[in-house]
Amino acid sequence: MLPNRSGEMEVFLHVADAGSFSAAARKLQLTPSAVAKLIARLEERLGAQLFVRSTRNLKLTREGSAYYHDASRILEDIGELEARLAHDSATPRGTIRVNATIPFGNHVLVPVLAGFLESYPEVTIDLSLTDNVIDILDERADIAIRSGALRDSRLLARKLGISRRVIIASRDYIARKGLPENPDDLHGHNCLNFSFRRPQEQWMVGTKGDEDASSRIGNIQVNNGETMRQLALAGVGIGRLALFHVGQDIADGRLVELLGDAAEPEFEQIHAVFVGQRQMPLRMRVLLDYLAKHISIR
């Protein structure tokens, strides 16, 4: 068993200041014999005599004086370190590495983070946006925002909301290619898709109780949702994106939601995922609380 060096130092300092084992023992609420044995073990391990013993008191040897000076400094440093950590644990500070998809990051997360950083000025956010699903351990992310089913059992998750996915196209595309009125009509249209792996690769589009899982892939694939949105705005084809991503485009008339009640609604849960920790840093805990309270997902 490794010795408790800081505890030994503390006992040694009490003995040196008190000048006797018994006086130090009273302050430490130990027996004089326990204090004497601890000092003897310390001297044996150090290979040096720390005290000159007499019938009346103890005096420090030259080695003991040197040890007294260094032990005092070390215990002061430990005290300052613990005080600093205690202060840090009471005040959120430090860097949080956050990963999110490009659409969620730009349309939902960034507006919320502005208020968070104002509320917690000693916290720094290192934000990485990508539509590829990262390995949170390999990328050393503290928190990742993910949509859909969660499959990584190594991670903990906090639900942030539910997003509805919508099928959209520009008015120009509809004028040129026609308006699909039911899910079967989509087979004749240029349906944009993603090039990266997703939990649900196919368009699950159908009437209620009769979902059609057939693939609908057009003449272009993209690796992120924002590019798909831009292609849809340009009239290239029909996209399927989260409502939080294209809701303002629909409201402003730049995009039109297709099918509506003719198709089964599709929803995805959105979670903040993170590695389980015995003691979560306060900066992460306040960010998770803030996101859960302030994020509004349509």
Side-chain angles (χ1 to χ4, degrees), residues 38-51 53:
L38 187 149
I39 296 298
R41 287 198 304 269
L42 176 61
E43 289 179 325
E44 182 179 0
R45 192 179 77 253
L46 296 177
Q49 184 177 351
L50 302 177
F51 293 102
R53 295 160 175 81

Side-chain angles (χ1 to χ4, degrees), residues 22-164:
S22 57
R26 285 193 296 270
K27 288 187 177 181
L28 295 169
Q29 296 183 333
L30 297 172
T31 63
S33 62
V35 172
K37 289 178 181 178
L38 187 149
I39 296 298
R41 287 198 304 269
L42 176 61
E43 289 179 325
E44 182 179 0
R45 192 179 77 253
L46 296 177
Q49 184 177 351
L50 302 177
F51 293 102
V52 176
R53 295 160 175 81
S54 68
T55 56
R56 293 189 175 184
N57 56 22
L58 301 172
K59 291 186 178 181
L60 289 171
T61 63
R62 184 174 64 181
E63 292 79 3
S65 296
Y67 188 78
Y68 182 94
H69 176 270
D70 290 340
S72 299
R73 176 182 53 79
I74 290 170
L75 289 182
E76 287 178 2
D77 290 343
I78 292 174
E80 291 178 2
L81 172 61
E82 290 181 345
R84 187 167 66 252
L85 290 176
H87 180 257
D88 288 350
S89 66
T91 303
R93 58 165 46 87
T95 299
I96 310 173
R97 294 177 293 275
V98 180
N99 172 269
T101 64
I102 297 171
F104 188 90
N106 287 332
H107 292 268
V108 179
L109 192 57
V110 168
V112 172
L113 287 179
F116 173 81
L117 292 172
E118 185 175 354
S119 299
Y120 299 99
E122 295 188 56
V123 174
T124 300
I125 300 294
D126 182 349
L127 180 60
S128 174
L129 300 183
T130 174
D131 281 6
N132 292 323
V133 179
I134 68 161
D135 186 310
I136 191 171
L137 297 175
D138 288 346
E139 297 295 329
R140 297 189 301 168
D142 297 309
I143 298 172
I145 311 298
R146 291 186 177 168
S147 302
L150 298 176
R151 298 181 180 179
D152 195 335
S153 60
R154 300 171 299 172
L155 304 178
L156 301 179
R158 182 159 181 180
K159 185 177 177 181
L160 299 180
I162 298 177
S163 171
R164 182 165 71 90

Side-chain angles (χ1 to χ4, degrees), residues 4 6 55 60 65 77 91 104 126 132 136 138 141 151 168 179 183 203 213-214 236 250 254 257 259-260 270 295:
N4 180 0
S6 63
T55 56
L60 289 171
S65 296
D77 290 343
T91 303
F104 188 90
D126 182 349
N132 292 323
I136 191 171
D138 288 346
R151 298 181 180 179
I168 47 85
L179 177 67
W203 284 35
S214 61
V236 174
I250 295 173
R254 292 186 293 269
E257 181 180 353
L259 301 185
I270 297 179
I295 279 181

Side-chain angles (χ1 to χ4, degrees), residues 101-103 106 129-132 193-196 198 221-231 241 245:
T101 64
I102 297 171
N106 287 332
L129 300 183
T130 174
D131 281 6
N132 292 323
N193 220 316
F194 291 108
S195 57
F196 56 83
R198 292 176 56 81
Q221 296 182 7
V222 298
N223 68 352
N224 67 86
E226 182 58 25
T227 299
M228 182 177 289
R229 170 178 171 265
Q230 293 297 332
L231 289 170
L241 295 167
H245 189 184

Side-chain angles (χ1 to χ4, degrees), residues 180-218:
E181 297 181 352
N182 60 68
D184 288 338
D185 292 343
L186 291 176
H187 288 288
H189 285 271
N190 191 30
C191 296
L192 310 175
N193 220 316
F194 291 108
S195 57
F196 56 83
R197 188 175 182 86
R198 292 176 56 81
Q200 178 59 58
E201 297 288 345
Q202 300 168 329
W203 284 35
M204 296 295 293
V205 180
T207 57
K208 293 184 178 180
D210 184 26
E211 288 186 343
D212 179 2
S214 61
S215 297
R216 294 179 172 84
I217 299 177

